Amino acid sequence: PEPDPTPDPEPGPNWTEVALEVAGAEPGATVTVDMDGTTEVPAAALAALAGRDVTVRLEMGAGVAWEIDGADVPKNAELSDIDLGIELNTTGIPSNLVDLVSGTLGSLQATLSHDGAFGFDVTLSVSLDKALAGTFANAYSYDEVKQGLRFEGAATVGADGSARLTIDHASQWLVALDTKSHALPFGDALEGEWYSEAVRWAWLSGTMGGYADSSGLFGTDEALTRSQMAAVLYNLAGKPEVPIVSMPGDCDPSEWYARAVTWSLAVGVFNGYDDGSGFGPENGLT
């Protein structure tokens, strides 16, 4: 009888060899792995990497790669296989949310195969366009339960047109390409707080900014004044051109609020005080 034909080798890396290479790597070294069309990384390979000063770079093809730093993988943890499959140019995030944060240079959606948290940080490297070098890739994760976007971080696009984004869980992701980082620039407006995404939207949309002085503050815990609220409404209206011809006696036509207050009185979204005492630009909004 004829001998049985040699079975085709299983696709993907030889993880035993990868583990040996990781074990013999010098501190600070990077071990590159061609995923050969596969997407799953076995728990045993992660365990071999855990706690080591070695980075494994997983080449997925099509300009996509994952990097896992062994120092970020907890030792003696109960690790499981992870699927690092990723589909680019998906459309699962509602367009109205995409429009809220899309940068001046467009956006990119991606859907990850893994479900939930990885248990450690991983870095996603995506090739974009060399013309984008020096701009910012702003990463947002999509919460399907709350139906909202959460800012996760920004990365500068490198000279080769690639962006490196550090993430710790899988979901649908949006990368907003912009000339600026979407990280909150205010000293008193922190990331990860209940107000963070609202403040980010107000700042990015031009509806509200920080104080005009050099403090670099947003005033997250401060009450709005009447002139500040007039400015918010004026910004929402698109800052229409209005002449500053006459103002209530307690308003200074040279102040930052002059055009906003003039507009708000002209269109009737604000009135002065009924007793004729003026507008009260620095009085608290009731």
Side-chain angles (χ1 to χ4, degrees):
E2 295 184 6
D4 292 335
T6 302
D8 293 332
E10 291 292 326
N14 183 321
W15 290 109
T16 301
E17 292 183 359
V18 171
L20 289 173
E21 189 174 353
V22 168
E26 295 290 332
T30 296
V31 174
T32 301
V33 178
D34 182 355
M35 293 297 287
D36 190 26
T38 62
T39 60
E40 192 165 284
V41 180
L46 295 172
L49 179 64
R52 296 184 60 83
D53 182 18
V54 176
T55 297
V56 169
R57 179 178 172 88
L58 307 168
E59 299 282 359
M60 310 298 291
V64 176
W66 293 97
E67 293 181 4
I68 305 176
D69 185 342
D72 292 330
V73 182
K75 295 182 67 175
N76 304 319
E78 188 174 338
L79 300 169
S80 58
D81 299 351
I82 59 172
D83 189 342
L84 293 178
I86 179 171
E87 183 180 358
L88 301 179
N89 300 310
T90 52
T91 57
I93 301 176
S95 59
N96 63 310
L97 294 180
V98 174
D99 292 343
L100 287 178
V101 299
S102 281
T104 56
L105 303 173
S107 61
L108 169 72
Q109 288 190 47
T111 301
L112 277 59
S113 299
H114 183 75
D115 184 17
F118 293 119
F120 46 85
D121 286 345
V122 296
T123 298
L124 174 64
S125 175
V126 181
S127 293
L128 299 169
D129 189 327
K130 289 184 178 180
L132 294 171
T135 62
F136 290 89
N138 297 282
Y140 292 82
S141 61
Y142 175 53
D143 187 324
E144 295 187 14
V145 176
K146 295 181 179 180
Q147 296 187 332
L149 292 172
R150 176 187 173 91
F151 179 72
E152 299 287 352
T156 304
V157 179
D160 61 352
S162 67
R164 294 164 47 83
L165 301 164
T166 300
I167 61 179
D168 62 2
H169 67 282
S171 68
Q172 295 186 70
W173 285 73
L174 173 72
V175 179
L177 302 168
D178 208 338
T179 54
K180 65 181 178 182
S181 168
H182 289 188
L184 293 174
F186 310 107
D188 59 344
L190 306 179
E191 298 289 0
E193 297 291 340
W194 63 270
Y195 56 70
S196 300
E197 299 310 322
V199 171
R200 195 181 331 278
W201 169 82
W203 164 56
L204 290 175
S205 67
T207 303
M208 295 183 74
Y211 290 129
D213 58 24
S214 59
S215 66
L217 302 179
F218 183 83
T220 48
D221 293 322
E222 300 295 327
L224 281 176
T225 64
R226 287 169 59 83
S227 58
Q228 289 170 344
M229 189 63 205
V232 169
L233 297 173
Y234 179 63
N235 291 341
L236 280 169
K239 298 183 178 180
E241 189 65 32
V242 289
I244 304 174
V245 289
S246 62
M247 300 189 72
D250 61 349
C251 293
D252 184 343
S254 66
E255 282 289 341
W256 63 270
Y257 57 71
R259 201 169 300 279
V261 169
T262 300
W263 169 84
S264 67
L265 291 170
V267 299
V269 296
F270 257 103
N271 292 311
Y273 290 127
D274 288 342
D275 61 5
S277 59
F279 181 83
E282 302 303 329
N283 293 347
L285 184 71
T286 62

